[in-house]
Amino acid sequence: MAYNPLDNRPNNSPYGSGDPYYHESTGYITPSNPKKGISNWIKIGIPVAILVIAGAVVGGVVGSRHHSSSSSSSSSTSGGTVPGGAAAASSAVSAKNAIGRFATATNTEFEMPVYPSTTNTAVFTSPTFLSAAALTWPQDPFQPGANPTPTQLRPDRPRLIAPAYKWAMLPTFIASDPYFKGWNDTIFGNATAYFSLPPVVYHMDGDSGILDNAREIKMRIKAFAYVYRMTNDTKWVDRTWQELQNAAGNGTTQFGPVADKWNTAHFLDTAEFTAAFAIAYDWLYDLWTDDQKSQIRFTMNLYGLGPGLQVYQGDPNGVGWWSKNIEGNWNCVCNSGLTMGALAILGDDTTGNAQALLGFTIDDAKNNCAQAVSNDGTWSETANYWYFGTTAHAEMSSSLITATGSDQGLLSVNPTFNMTGLFHMYVQGATSLFNYGDHGPNKFSTTANSMIFYASQYNAPQFALFQRDQHDAPEPWSMFWYEPSIYGAFWDGMPLDHFFDNQLDQWASMRSTWTDNNALYVAMKAGQLQGHQTHNDLDCGDFVLDALGTRWAGELGSGDYLSLDYFTSDEQNATRWLYYRKRTEGQNTILVDGQNQDVKALPKVTHGSTGETQGSSTVYSPPSGSTAYWVADLTSAYFNVTSFQRGVRTLNGRKQVLIQDDINSQGAIMWRMHTNATVNVDSSGTSATLTLDGQTLTMQILNAPAGAQITTGPTQRQPNDPPLPAGQSDQPNPGVLVVAINLPAGTYSLQVLFNPQWPGMQTSDFVTPASVPLNNWSLTSHN
Ligand SMILES: *[C@@H]1O[C@H](CO)[C@@H](O)[C@H](O)[C@H]1NC(C)=O
Ligand SMILES: *[C@@H]1O[C@H](CO)[C@@H](O)[C@H](O)[C@H]1NC(C)=O
Ligand SMILES: *[C@@H]1O[C@H](CO)[C@@H](O)[C@H](O)[C@H]1NC(C)=O
Ligand SMILES: *[C@@H]1O[C@H](CO)[C@@H](O)[C@H](O)[C@H]1NC(C)=O
Ligand SMILES: *[C@@H]1O[C@H](CO)[C@@H](O)[C@H](O)[C@H]1NC(C)=O
Ligand SMILES: *[C@@H]1O[C@H](CO)[C@@H](O)[C@H](O)[C@H]1NC(C)=O
Ligand SMILES: *[C@@H]1O[C@H](CO)[C@@H](O)[C@H](O)[C@H]1NC(C)=O
Ligand SMILES: *[C@@H]1O[C@H](CO)[C@@H](O)[C@H](O)[C@H]1NC(C)=O
Ligand SMILES: *[C@@H]1O[C@H](CO)[C@@H](O)[C@H](O)[C@H]1NC(C)=O
């Protein structure tokens, strides 16, 4: 696990205690052992007999499970009536299990799943949940009455996420389902690795966080408690106790100050510690002595639940800004941790904190956390903050369902929350996320496994089928959220493109296939520049481009979260907008007069797609007429611009990309793109060859305006930028170049064509599109 060095600069968050998060002073965290081996797909052979069986049953067997979305119980797994019956379902399960896990590896440079080249159409069918005849979770024996309240709890333990009836099924599922088997193995391996480590060492990141500590402890406790329950070996209980003692300040080394050990000033930490203790208390309930139980409760109340209740009772210490109108991950994480803590000890708690808290946290999360998803599914912070927000939202919803028999409305209060799974799928490129804005801290216990939970809760099996092959899938939550009756391939029927049109975050996602790490992926955003919990950049028109297994145009990510006034304001004059990575010049878009964009931007977008969906094969090439385009009117994002539209489209069956800027500007224009590639500008000055990861991409200015030249330069501040505050600096961006095109004030159509040099493609196979004004772009305008 890579850690970045931390420093002790003062916290300057607007939020009293500061956003918190982890700062990047040294660039990016990359996998410690990156391997590149993704281009040679492995052919797997499916035994013919199984194919025949599956071919015969599929279609009859594959029925969809209709349970009401956001139902009050997660246990209603019985499906619709399905023709074919139990025998057919069982054959289908045999066929899918014979394949094993669909992805053969995730140890690629970008940790993306590698899908084999196969046309196994018998099993790669539309995502669904098989009928009740298939391997599936039984109904929860705990069935609450008509109006389940948050304080009438299931009689048995565990209460949180993993009730006993589910543990009882795991040996069967592990024996019969390759995903359960693989995940169980990995969790055991991870738990064994953590076992021999010393307890997590307290590390205060300035006064803005011990969040890494809290999440690492939570990650360990989940694994230890899981392995105990799967083995009955009490060494795991002892090791859990050691970690609890350490985090309670009762270990052999100092753990923070006496008064505020879980750092309520930065309440995320408090909440994640509370969640960790809740899991330990609840999952190992029968193993603790009464004394131990009392000690765990004491510590949770003192450092977690007590301060949490104070937030809701006048907030005397001013640490509860997150509870008021914060539609973002903070509200989710804080309420989720407090809720899990309260549910874990309710009934044993003699302080009244647990009962009282449940009267606040659920409504607060419904009003705030659950509203962080826009009506198009986009998480209103960033693609990375989606992980923190939805992990907590899913943990809280799941805990409420198992403990009280109802999600208490958390899953349904926002009627389009279910769309956030689509957001995650489309914001994931062929190599990595369209990771605009801040990237956030280390993830530890945070994963994308909310996708697996939402799949069942929202009857959207494609979410789980997508996530189950990802590198972060194996961890205890997956073992309880995954439905073994799931069937099919997420890509079958999945549209290649999606346009997210909510004004807050307008953006486009276009790709050539879902199952090849070498795919073409281009994504571009417009949207508003405020209203993202101050995690955004001034980045209307910003894009990323993936092709040939690498990222050609990419993001710089977070600045140093401890920089002066990094989070204080997102007004035009905010200090945040002085830092390179947050400025417009730090984005892959147009810069006018070297100035930042206008924070009051209100872009308008139009778009089109020929609408292909990938079929069942992992081997997919879009037809030659397949295309998508997206045009944003960004005039409102600029000063000194009379009109400006930026468009992006795929060409030539999605093998090429055109980015076009139709602009009338009184200010000097600079086209900018950040890349890790080595760039060689050709002698004409209007085309360039980029090389990266052993691959090549050419870019070319079409119909080049007089004087337009491609240049390269370092990722550094423009000469006329306002100075940084005293003592502040930008983070280095090692290996990153800016590719730029400068034009004086004037009216232009600047067209930049990107040609990834696909294997086997001749120069003559590339198209040179006609010049078409963006106002005239259509699906056929470039045929
Ligand atoms: C879970 O994985 C561990 C480690 O591979 C293995 O020893 C154990 O038998 C597995 N559990 C079950 C129920 O198969
Ligand atoms: C868990 O184990 C897997 C498989 O060995 C490994 O790739 C992963 O990095 C481990 N996770 C952590 C958090 O140590
Ligand atoms: C652990 O103990 C429980 C309760 O005695 C028992 O039901 C279960 O089978 C045991 N599990 C293992 C893996 O020994
Ligand atoms: C830690 O020690 C304090 C003081 O002795 C005690 O009150 C508390 O219960 C202990 N907490 C745990 C989790 O052992
Ligand atoms: C989300 O729910 C709405 C309303 O039930 C439904 O129309 C839509 O298809 C769902 N979206 C997804 C991705 O499941
Ligand atoms: C450069 O590569 C790193 C590691 O893959 C990545 O995180 C970063 O976004 C890339 N930068 C650009 C500008 O593409
Ligand atoms: C930004 O402008 C507001 C309103 O004029 C002012 O109160 C604030 O101090 C300014 N902030 C900075 C960082 O200059
Ligand atoms: C607008 O353009 C003029 C002329 O180039 C320049 O002097 C002025 O600073 C620009 N204003 C802004 C806000 O960029
Ligand atoms: C753009 O579309 C308009 C209206 O359809 C048409 O009159 C005009 O000729 C088109 N211009 C170009 C350059 O295609």
Side-chain angles (χ1 to χ4, degrees), residues 409-700:
L410 193 54
L411 288 162
S412 56
V413 63
N414 175 349
T416 53
F417 199 98
N418 68 330
M419 304 283 286
T420 210
L422 285 185
F423 167 70
H424 179 67
M425 289 174 78
Y426 282 99
V427 89
Q428 177 76 62
T431 68
S432 46
L433 293 177
F434 177 21
N435 48 353
Y436 56 83
D438 286 341
H439 291 181
N442 289 319
K443 294 202 166 69
F444 292 110
S445 56
T446 306
T447 68
N449 290 329
S450 57
M451 293 290 278
I452 297 179
F453 178 68
Y454 296 147
S456 313
Q457 295 303 319
Y458 292 125
N459 194 20
Q462 69 274 24
F463 297 169
L465 292 170
F466 177 82
Q467 173 60 18
R468 68 182 187 176
D469 284 308
Q470 303 286 330
H471 71 94
D472 61 350
E475 54 105 12
W477 289 169
S478 308
M479 302 298 289
F480 302 95
W481 288 344
Y482 186 69
E483 289 279 355
S485 62
I486 203 164
Y487 193 91
F490 78 84
W491 57 85
D492 188 28
M494 193 70 188
L496 299 177
D497 309 312
H498 198 91
F499 304 107
F500 294 79
D501 286 344
N502 188 283
Q503 178 73 61
L504 189 58
D505 287 284
Q506 299 140 318
W507 68 282
S509 170
M510 314 171 191
R511 72 184 71 219
S512 61
T513 152
W514 283 99
T515 44
D516 184 349
N517 292 334
N518 296 324
L520 183 122
Y521 173 79
V522 61
M524 187 181 277
K525 74 182 291 290
Q528 291 172 217
L529 298 173
Q530 296 179 319
H532 310 278
Q533 306 297 328
T534 325
H535 281 309
N536 61 301
D537 301 339
L538 297 181
D539 62 356
C540 287
D542 183 42
F543 69 99
V544 296
L545 174 63
D546 290 343
L548 297 165
T550 196
R551 174 148 292 186
W552 298 96
E555 299 285 339
L556 303 177
S558 309
D560 182 340
Y561 279 18
L562 300 182
S563 296
L564 180 73
D565 288 341
Y566 189 80
F567 294 112
T568 304
S569 161
D570 57 8
E571 292 301 327
Q572 196 68 41
N573 67 352
T575 303
R576 179 179 179 85
W577 309 135
L578 294 175
Y579 299 110
Y580 183 86
R581 291 184 178 185
K582 307 293 103 185
R583 291 176 71 72
T584 301
E585 67 195 11
Q587 319 306 320
N588 300 325
T589 190
I590 293 279
L591 196 60
V592 170
D593 272 335
Q595 303 281 320
N596 273 334
Q597 289 175 349
D598 185 340
V599 298
K600 299 297 181 196
L602 278 176
K604 295 189 212 49
V605 297
T606 56
H607 46 72
S609 166
T610 46
E612 284 78 14
T613 60
Q614 186 163 342
S616 90
S617 175
T618 58
V619 183
Y620 177 77
S621 295
S624 61
S626 173
T627 191
Y629 72 91
W630 182 87
V631 177
D633 188 321
L634 300 179
T635 312
S636 64
Y638 287 87
F639 303 102
N640 272 2
V641 154
T642 305
S643 66
F644 173 30
Q645 293 185 88
R646 162 163 272 210
V648 57
R649 73 182 301 136
T650 65
L651 297 166
N652 199 7
R654 300 175 186 259
K655 294 190 219 40
Q656 297 169 254
V657 169
L658 175 66
I659 291 180
Q660 180 167 322
D661 295 295
D662 290 356
I663 185 164
N664 175 349
S665 169
Q666 284 85 63
I669 298 164
M670 190 178 196
W671 185 102
R672 291 171 74 82
M673 177 183 110
H674 295 77
T675 186
N676 284 323
T678 302
V679 181
N680 283 300
V681 180
D682 303 343
S683 57
S684 66
T686 58
S687 61
T689 302
L690 281 65
T691 51
L692 181 61
D693 282 341
Q695 301 292 338
T696 302
L697 171 143
T698 63
M699 55 182 281
Q700 185 186 353

Side-chain angles (χ1 to χ4, degrees), residues 69-133:
S69 67
S70 57
S71 72
S72 63
S73 167
S74 66
S75 63
S76 54
T77 55
S78 55
T81 314
V82 164
S90 146
S91 301
V93 170
S94 306
K96 78 166 181 174
N97 287 351
I99 299 176
R101 288 153 90 178
F102 284 8
T104 53
T106 55
N107 61 346
T108 54
E109 178 181 353
F110 294 97
E111 297 189 297
M112 291 295 288
V114 179
Y115 291 100
S117 301
T118 172
T119 52
N120 184 6
T121 52
V123 175
F124 295 169
T125 52
S126 328
T128 191
F129 294 102
L130 292 174
S131 77

